[in-house]
Amino acid sequence: MTWGFFFLAFFLVGLVLAAIFGILESLPKSHVALPRAELVRHRRQVHIARLGVALAGFGGAGLILVSWGRYSWKGVMVSALAVALFCWVVCRWLLRLPCAPSILQQKATVVREIPPGGYGQVRVEAGGSSMVLAAQSEAEETIPAGSEVEVVDCQRSVVVVRKVSPLQ
């Protein structure tokens, strides 16, 4: 096996991972074929897409440097790792996770009624601070103001909430 093939393999695997998981991350929930376990699945997709970009950067830089033939394998490896780290940092900055993990599965209070298919507002107490966020109901039901809800998804700018049953 040659160094060129080694870097080509990393480049192709990285491109495939970045493309597949980047596309999965951008699809609306209704188009994803597999069941979605709240936000955990989304976070995994974002992390794998970042990894794919880093692998593609590593493979691409290594392939270019090997094809020039001017550097030793140690120099190529260090340079490719530096490019991979740079790509990962840039991708981490561009593909941000939608909300802080502290908000997910937090109890919140409905401030403005949430109509079916519409938007309302909830107040979340997290980390010693209180924030009011736009919210949408997970179920097709009206959630009146003052109700206690749980944040189940914060993938976009609007959090998705579920009404907390009295048994919980």
Side-chain angles (χ1 to χ4, degrees), residues 137-152:
S137 176
E138 179 183 56
E140 291 295 323
E141 64 176 318
T142 299
I143 302 177
S147 300
E148 187 175 357
V149 293
E150 177 183 24
V151 177
V152 294

Side-chain angles (χ1 to χ4, degrees), residues 2-160:
T2 65
W3 284 109
F5 179 76
F6 173 77
F7 287 116
L8 179 64
F10 270 93
F11 180 70
L12 293 176
V13 167
L15 279 181
V16 168
L17 284 176
I20 289 174
F21 287 95
I23 290 169
L24 280 176
E25 187 274 328
S26 66
L27 287 176
K29 285 191 229 177
S30 60
H31 289 88
V32 177
L34 300 172
R36 184 181 186 123
E38 313 303 351
L39 196 57
V40 174
R41 179 178 170 82
H42 173 70
R43 290 184 185 284
R44 193 174 321 134
Q45 289 172 354
V46 170
H47 291 307
I48 293 173
R50 289 176 184 164
L51 174 67
V53 169
L55 287 175
F58 174 78
L63 195 58
I64 290 169
L65 293 173
V66 163
S67 68
W68 280 346
R70 297 180 186 163
Y71 304 101
S72 68
W73 69 271
K74 290 179 186 177
V76 170
M77 194 65 74
V78 169
S79 299
L81 285 172
V83 169
L85 181 64
F86 176 76
C87 289
W88 182 79
V89 168
V90 168
C91 193
R92 184 172 168 86
W93 181 69
L94 291 176
L95 281 177
R96 295 182 185 179
L97 293 173
C99 69
S102 61
I103 295 175
L104 189 62
Q105 296 180 345
Q106 287 290 322
K107 302 288 189 236
T109 305
V110 178
V111 177
R112 183 179 293 161
E113 179 181 282
I114 305 171
Y119 300 95
Q121 290 181 332
V122 295
R123 179 179 311 280
V124 179
E125 307 284 336
S129 64
S130 174
M131 52 188 133
V132 176
L133 302 168
Q136 191 171 25
S137 176
E138 179 183 56
E140 291 295 323
E141 64 176 318
T142 299
I143 302 177
S147 300
E148 187 175 357
V149 293
E150 177 183 24
V151 177
V152 294
D153 191 3
C154 53
Q155 183 175 347
R156 305 291 180 234
S157 61
V158 177
V159 295
V160 177

